Amino acid sequence: MQEEWTPQQWPPQNPPPAPQPDVQPKPWQDAQPAPQTGPQPEPWQDAQPAPQPGLPPEPWQTPPAPQPGLPPEPWQTPPAFLPFGRACSRVGWAFAVLMLLFTLGQLLFVWAFRRLLPGQLSVTLELWLCNDLALYGLGAPACWLLLRGLPRRLPPPCRPARYARMTLPWAGRLFCLGELCMIAGSLAGQGLMRIISYWAGAQGAGNPVAAALDGASVFTIFVFCVLVAPVGEELLFRGLLFRCLAPFGERAYILVSAALFSAFHGNFYQIPGAFLVGLLLAWLRCRTGRLRWGMLLHAAINFCGAVMPYLIAASDTLAGLWVLALLGFCIAGGVYLFRMRPARQLRAMPPLPGRPGAALLNPGMLAAALLSAVLLAANTLGSIGVLL
């Protein structure tokens, strides 16, 4: 007997799929992280860029060519390119303008304060205010205006595929390394000034940093050294200069920023330490990609060097303990520096584009060096009593 057809029976339903054998999940389907064995890499070792294979772009990724007779669209115009030497020269001219306006602004604000507010402020507080007003009110804005239109290359090769994450142990090691750089640089600066004083026939050299801190209160030192200086200097040397020089690689930025940061301080007592700390802070900026960690490290170094001597001055026991603590910081920083192997770090960075001398031997940098040398000579002669 033939079975009667009904519409519900057509089209025939597909048979259920046959049961599949157990298949192990793919590695990319497994959401659980695999257990890691062996020593964990340091945060600065995790910031190396991952190799990217060169793949041709898809057709939809290739922008259409501009039509003849029509102006090109803005996105069709290639990014402006400035050679490395010319970019460094622009940075040098901007720094020279900053130093010139900073020096002239100091004289202007000191005259204005003493003319408008005679005897209202202490001499030390007046000098601190004049220095910061001249730097952040005149010099830094002019430097920013000169560098804001600096053409850049994209993408910057010093930007790693993944920045290093700050951890508490790494922060402690960086602090010890910063103290080592600061103390070693301070000892080198004092020795250099003793040699200059002996060569000039002077009895001794006055330390302008100690003179500036001598008559100030602890609160004034904390505000200007621990709060204002780290924020302003990091924005200038590790913020603005990073955006201008990072497209040419880590080595170019670290070298130029550390040189300018040391010349910015303007006295032999601070130049060696500022150069070493500038190298560390610039390297930290490249490894983490953030300004806040450099600001915190800079503030911690300034706190230990400017505020702590006043807090422990009343007790010989605290002073002795603090000396032992500094010795321990230096030893720990030396061990960490040996583990980092700076030579290997330097070789891993992209090389300087062109000749190495192109970073500093250009008109702008030579002008900045000449102006810095004149100001440094004036400060040095004034500190040993030759120029008053």
Side-chain angles (χ1 to χ4, degrees):
M1 181 178 177
Q2 187 176 2
E3 186 178 358
E4 185 178 359
W5 176 83
T6 57
Q8 290 80 6
Q9 295 176 351
W10 189 263
Q13 299 180 357
N14 295 328
Q20 299 292 334
D22 295 338
V23 179
Q24 297 296 329
K26 299 295 183 182
W28 51 269
Q29 293 176 339
D30 190 7
Q32 300 296 331
Q36 299 182 0
T37 59
Q40 298 297 325
E42 296 287 342
W44 49 268
Q45 293 175 339
D46 195 28
Q48 299 298 330
Q52 299 292 335
L55 298 177
E58 299 290 339
W60 51 269
Q61 292 177 338
T62 305
Q67 298 295 330
L70 297 177
E73 298 290 338
W75 49 268
Q76 292 176 339
T77 304
F81 172 79
L82 195 65
F84 177 59
R86 290 180 57 188
C88 291
S89 181
R90 179 85 67 87
V91 171
W93 285 116
F95 181 77
V97 171
L98 181 146
M99 294 298 296
L100 183 61
L101 292 180
F102 177 44
T103 305
L104 296 178
Q106 285 179 315
L107 301 176
L108 175 63
F109 286 118
V110 166
W111 176 84
F113 270 90
R114 293 180 180 178
R115 183 69 180 269
L116 300 177
L117 300 173
Q120 299 296 323
L121 299 175
S122 63
V123 177
T124 305
L125 180 58
E126 181 181 279
L127 292 177
W128 281 98
L129 288 174
C130 293
N131 290 344
D132 285 354
L133 287 176
L135 176 60
Y136 303 115
L138 294 178
C143 181
W144 178 79
L145 289 175
L146 291 174
L147 295 179
R148 65 185 300 267
L150 188 67
R152 298 172 177 85
R153 292 191 303 174
L154 297 175
C158 79
R159 180 178 300 170
R162 182 174 56 182
Y163 286 116
R165 296 181 59 184
M166 180 60 65
T167 59
L168 188 59
W170 192 32
R173 291 192 289 268
L174 287 175
F175 170 74
C176 294
L177 184 56
E179 285 297 312
L180 174 64
C181 294
M182 195 64 195
I183 294 176
S186 178
L187 294 177
Q190 292 178 14
L192 183 60
M193 284 302 300
R194 287 182 180 272
I195 295 175
I196 294 176
S197 301
Y198 177 79
W199 175 76
Q203 297 297 328
N207 190 339
V209 181
L213 299 177
D214 189 19
S217 64
V218 178
F219 178 76
T220 302
I221 297 174
F222 180 83
V223 170
F224 287 99
C225 292
V226 182
L227 298 182
V228 177
V231 174
E233 292 175 4
E234 292 303 309
L235 288 175
L236 181 61
F237 292 97
R238 261 69 66 177
L240 181 61
L241 287 185
F242 179 80
R243 292 195 297 270
C244 295
L245 297 176
F248 298 99
E250 294 178 356
R251 194 178 301 184
Y253 161 69
I254 293 175
L255 171 66
V256 177
S257 65
L260 294 180
F261 183 65
S262 61
F264 168 77
H265 287 78
N267 61 84
F268 283 115
Y269 283 101
Q270 291 182 292
I271 282 180
F275 181 76
L276 296 177
V277 174
L279 292 175
L280 176 62
L281 293 175
W283 174 82
L284 181 62
R285 176 71 165 94
C286 294
R287 294 277 71 80
T288 61
R290 297 290 185 270
L291 273 173
R292 57 176 176 265
W293 304 123
M295 291 180 182
L296 291 176
L297 180 59
H298 195 162
I301 293 174
N302 285 5
F303 180 85
C304 293
V307 179
M308 281 300 296
Y310 287 84
L311 298 180
I312 63 176
S315 174
D316 295 338
T317 304
L318 293 178
L321 293 176
W322 178 242
V323 171
L324 293 178
L326 290 178
L327 181 60
F329 294 153
C330 291
I331 294 175
V335 172
Y336 183 55
L337 182 64
F338 176 77
R339 289 185 55 193
M340 284 177 58
R341 300 187 184 277
R344 181 186 300 176
Q345 291 284 313
L346 185 64
R347 289 194 299 267
M349 297 177 185
L352 287 173
R355 297 178 296 104
L360 301 176
L361 299 180
N362 51 72
M365 285 294 177
L366 292 178
L370 178 61
L371 181 59
S372 300
V374 171
L375 297 177
L376 177 61
N379 293 334
T380 304
L381 294 176
S383 63
I384 62 178
V386 176
L387 181 63
L388 297 177

